[in-house]
Amino acid sequence: MKMDYLLFFKMMNKLLVWSFCMIVLSSCVVSPPKKTSNICEIFYEKRSWYKAAVKTEKRWGSPAYVTLAFIKQESDFQQGAKPERTKLFGFIPWKRKSSAYGYAQAIDGTWDIYKKQAKKPLASRTSFKDSVDFIGWYNKKSNKLLGIPKDNARLLYLAYHEGRGGYKKGSYKSKPWLLSVSSDVQKMSNRYRNQYDSCKKKLKSPFYFLFN
C-alpha cells in the first residue's frame, strides 16, 4: 500500500512539472496578427513590431513595407514556421526540405553569419525583432553587393531566396514559380507601402497608443 502511494505521488509530481512546462511554453508563443494583409492593422495590434520595423529601417535602410512583405511571404507571421517534410516512399513523413525556421525562414548557416556580423549572439529566429533585423541586414548586403535598390522587393526577394551567388548566376530565371512568387512579394510590398503612407503619422504619435 505504501509503495502504491509513493508511485502515485511520483506520477503526480511528473504531471505537475509537465503541466508547468506547457504553461511556460504556451506563454512564449506569439500569435500572428489578425489582419496580415494590412500593415497599419498589424502595427496597431502589435506596437513592439512597429518599433522593431522602424529600428530596422534606421539601422539597415530597409523599408518596413519591404521587410514585412518578406515575412508575409516566408511565414505569414507564424512564429515557429518550418518547411514541410519530404515524403519517404510517397507517404511517410521524412526530413524537412531545409533548416529554414521562424518568421524570416532563415537557414542555420546564414543565421549564424548574421549573429556574428550583426553582433547579436543571442538572436533568435522566433523573435520578430531579430527576424526583421536579419532581413534588413541581408537586404542591405544585397543592395551593396548586387546594386539592388532597397525598395525593390522583387529583386531583393530573388537574392534572398537564391542567395547572392545564385542571383548573380541567374538561377531564378529557370524557376517560373519563383518569379511568380517574387512578383507577389512586390505586389504586397506596394500594398503595404500605400497603407503605411496613410497611417505613418498616426503610428508616430505617442498619444495614439496611450489612448487606444
Side-chain angles (χ1 to χ4, degrees), residues 50-111:
Y50 166 67
K51 289 181 177 179
V54 169
K55 187 176 180 180
T56 292
E57 187 164 358
K58 287 179 178 177
R59 186 181 188 190
W60 305 112
S62 180
Y65 49 86
V66 172
T67 307
L68 264 69
F70 272 45
I71 291 182
K72 168 70 174 170
Q73 175 59 44
E74 290 298 278
S75 65
D76 201 19
F77 301 95
Q78 298 290 332
Q79 184 184 34
K82 293 180 180 179
E84 292 182 1
R85 291 185 181 276
T86 55
K87 301 289 185 180
L88 187 63
F89 304 121
F91 65 94
I92 301 174
W94 197 236
K95 297 177 180 179
R96 297 190 187 278
K97 296 177 181 179
S98 77
S99 61
Y101 181 52
Y103 289 112
Q105 289 295 280
I107 59 175
D108 292 348
T110 311
W111 188 259

Side-chain angles (χ1 to χ4, degrees), residues 1 22 44 48 91 112 135 145 151 159:
M1 195 71 173
M22 290 298 100
Y44 291 155
S48 63
F91 65 94
D112 288 339
I135 293 172
L145 299 174
D151 61 351

Side-chain angles (χ1 to χ4, degrees), residues 30-33 35-39 42-43 46 48-54 56-57 62-82 100-106 111 114 124-139 153-154 156-158 160-161 181-182 184-189 192:
V30 179
S31 60
K35 298 179 180 179
T36 61
S37 294
N38 189 313
I39 195 172
I42 292 171
F43 288 155
K46 297 184 181 292
S48 63
W49 286 19
Y50 166 67
K51 289 181 177 179
V54 169
T56 292
E57 187 164 358
S62 180
Y65 49 86
V66 172
T67 307
L68 264 69
F70 272 45
I71 291 182
K72 168 70 174 170
Q73 175 59 44
E74 290 298 278
S75 65
D76 201 19
F77 301 95
Q78 298 290 332
Q79 184 184 34
K82 293 180 180 179
Y101 181 52
Y103 289 112
Q105 289 295 280
W111 188 259
Y114 158 71
S124 169
R125 284 177 282 185
T126 57
S127 162
F128 183 85
K129 179 178 69 174
D130 293 336
S131 296
V132 291
D133 193 70
F134 169 80
I135 293 172
W137 165 82
Y138 197 94
N139 286 349
R154 185 178 73 86
L156 287 170
Y157 185 77
L158 289 173
Y160 187 83
H161 189 278
V181 169
S182 68
D184 289 341
V185 173
Q186 183 65 61
K187 289 175 186 176
M188 183 54 67
S189 177
Y192 278 162

Side-chain angles (χ1 to χ4, degrees), residues 4 8 15 17 36 50 70 90 98 119 151-152 171 188:
D4 289 341
F8 173 76
L15 181 61
V17 170
T36 61
Y50 166 67
F70 272 45
S98 77
K119 298 180 180 179
D151 61 351
N152 191 321
S171 59
M188 183 54 67

